[in-house]
Amino acid sequence: MQNNKSIRYSRHYSLPGFGKEKQELLEKSKVLVIGAGGLGCPVLQYLTAAGIGTLGIVDGDKVELSNLQRQVLFSMDDIGHSKAEIAEKKMKLLNPEVKFKVYREFLNHENAIEIIREFDVVVDGTDNFNSRYLINDVAVMLGKPVVFGSILGFEGQVSVFNWGEKGPTYRCVFPEAPDPLNSPSCSELGVIGILPGMIGSFQANEVIKICTGIGQPLSGKLLIYNALTNGQITLSVSQIPENKKVQNLDATNFVCNSPSNGLEVSIEEFLQDEDYWKEKIIDLRSKGEFHQFNRGGRNLPLQKLAIQFKELEKGREILLVCQSGQRSQKAMEFLMDNGYKNVKHLKGGLQGLEDN
């Protein structure tokens, strides 16, 4: 086994300033990767190859065809299967010396502390603000550093939060989540396929630096990368001491991957009675998307909903639709917060209807 290690990690052993000593530190480290999607895939691949001792994988999602454009760990054969389980299976083939702990569930306020407390470093590969605030607050409570990454369009961000006593937290950079109607996701605005690989590689590098003590982690700094220009800027971030005093979790602040409690209409339900639903559709996509493909109804882009929602009758049944189902869920929550009770949204969005 020792001989195998000397071959597998020979480039680390011969690397000045790294060597066998730093490699042994990696082998003793426990790293939790939350999200096995665009960012999580390259992070898992590079950390597994590097020889991290224990890797945790948290993801309750399944592989979809639309993932394959950027989540290059997966293939056509994996569609419909658990991302976390597929990731573990393939990473064991890459490096059987690494131990894996797999959580086939989404992180929430009930399981976050129990899961995160077992690891030395947390990698945030999530794609929504609620999850990021939850990860941040639990990490502050438990004293764990968080390697943060985010991607959208052609731009990505990387930072290290909660590193030591003076390290800023996620809340020091983003004190409050933006209005959900003005915070589009990758499924809405898209993302260039190569970008998650680049930002995820940055994240893996930060993990290795933290675990081995080499270099200087991106604590107190927010690196922003632009794929169109290959430009990078690094912003300085100051700690707000109050943000290091989190002592408990308020469950109402962390509705991650929240179920719709029967307020979703499935593709199958829609197709069974399309004429019934067609009269109730509010299509939240842009005008261009609407004219390219639609199933009728009124086109009211999400960005205009906050201004024009009062035009909608509160008593009538409403079916909100968009391309993937994410915008429609945001809009449903917004309307319900404003007194609309008879609102549903199309689960999975219109992309599931284009071939029907």
Side-chain angles (χ1 to χ4, degrees):
M1 181 65 72
Q2 186 62 38
N3 184 51
N4 288 339
K5 283 187 178 181
S6 66
I7 296 173
R8 178 183 291 275
Y9 305 122
S10 60
R11 300 305 188 272
H12 277 175
Y13 281 13
S14 62
L15 181 63
F18 201 93
K20 184 177 180 181
E21 177 186 358
K22 301 301 184 185
Q23 184 61 44
E24 289 177 348
L25 290 177
L26 288 183
E27 294 169 21
K28 295 176 182 177
S29 299
K30 297 180 179 181
V31 178
L32 180 67
V33 180
I34 304 176
L39 295 172
C41 284
V43 171
L44 287 168
Q45 288 172 292
Y46 276 109
L47 294 185
T48 299
I52 293 292
T54 301
L55 276 172
I57 308 173
V58 180
D59 201 312
D61 208 356
K62 295 181 179 180
V63 180
E64 299 179 2
L65 179 61
S66 61
N67 298 150
L68 304 186
Q69 166 252 11
R70 63 203 176 281
Q71 299 176 25
V72 295
L73 177 61
F74 306 121
S75 65
M76 291 290 292
D77 291 340
D78 302 322
I79 292 174
H81 297 283
S82 162
K83 286 185 179 180
E85 288 187 352
I86 294 297
E88 178 195 26
K89 180 180 178 180
K90 295 189 176 182
M91 292 304 93
K92 282 183 174 179
L93 294 175
L94 174 61
N95 191 346
E97 296 176 3
V98 175
K99 296 179 182 178
F100 293 92
K101 297 197 69 172
V102 175
Y103 305 87
R104 283 187 56 185
E105 55 190 309
F106 293 112
L107 201 74
N108 57 55
H109 73 280
E110 295 177 342
N111 63 19
I113 293 177
E114 181 180 356
I115 292 175
I116 291 175
R117 73 163 74 248
E118 297 186 39
F119 296 88
D120 306 314
V121 182
V122 179
V123 178
D124 183 350
T126 62
D127 61 359
N128 65 85
F129 288 98
N130 287 328
S131 294
R132 291 169 185 163
Y133 286 115
L134 174 61
I135 293 167
N136 172 85
D137 290 1
V138 173
V140 170
M141 292 170 61
L142 299 177
K144 310 286 186 179
V146 176
V147 179
F148 163 78
S150 72
I151 50 173
L152 186 64
F154 297 96
E155 187 174 284
Q157 300 178 352
V158 186
S159 189
V160 173
F161 295 124
N162 203 41
W163 170 246
E165 294 184 2
K166 297 183 179 180
T169 74
Y170 181 78
R171 290 187 182 273
C172 296
V173 184
F174 305 100
E176 296 180 355
D179 187 327
L181 297 186
N182 294 315
S183 54
S185 66
C186 291
S187 63
E188 296 161 14
L189 289 188
V191 61
I192 190 71
I194 196 69
L195 185 62
M198 303 179 76
I199 299 302
S201 297
F202 278 126
Q203 287 182 278
N205 187 50
E206 293 304 306
V207 171
I208 291 173
K209 287 155 61 178
I210 291 171
C211 291
T212 61
I214 65 171
Q216 183 63 46
L218 276 171
S219 178
K221 300 175 182 178
L222 179 68
L223 184 150
I224 302 174
Y225 173 78
N226 187 304
L228 289 179
T229 64
N230 274 334
Q232 295 184 30
I233 61 173
T234 304
L235 306 178
S236 295
V237 180
S238 299
Q239 184 194 102
I240 300 174
E242 285 299 312
N243 289 333
K244 299 281 280 190
K245 298 178 181 179
V246 179
Q247 296 182 347
N248 54 67
L249 301 178
D250 182 353
T252 60
N253 291 332
F254 308 114
V255 188
C256 311
N257 304 289
S258 58
S260 296
N261 297 322
L263 300 178
E264 295 177 331
V265 173
S266 68
I267 297 295
E268 292 73 21
E269 289 177 289
F270 181 89
L271 291 174
Q272 285 174 5
D273 204 352
E274 183 171 351
D275 289 338
Y276 171 81
W277 292 113
K278 188 174 293 185
E279 300 300 319
K280 301 167 175 57
I281 289 177
I282 301 295
D283 192 319
L284 300 161
R285 299 173 302 158
S286 67
K287 287 185 178 180
E289 290 176 291
F290 182 79
H291 289 306
Q292 185 175 5
F293 169 79
N294 69 79
R295 287 305 250 261
R298 175 183 176 183
N299 181 213
L300 179 58
L302 182 65
Q303 291 79 3
K304 297 182 178 181
L305 182 65
I307 300 173
Q308 297 180 241
F309 75 93
K310 293 183 179 179
E311 299 174 7
L312 306 176
E313 297 178 25
K314 284 192 174 181
R316 62 168 288 204
E317 189 172 15
I318 296 172
L319 178 64
L320 300 166
V321 303
C322 66
Q323 189 65 14
S324 69
Q326 294 196 24
R327 278 174 282 186
S328 60
Q329 182 159 347
K330 292 177 184 178
M332 180 179 68
E333 293 167 358
F334 172 79
L335 290 177
M336 292 179 70
D337 287 342
N338 282 277
Y340 287 78
K341 304 298 183 184
N342 206 6
V343 184
K344 297 185 178 183
H345 86 112
L346 183 64
K347 182 179 180 181
L350 290 170
Q351 62 188 8
L353 292 172
E354 291 186 4
D355 296 327
N356 292 288

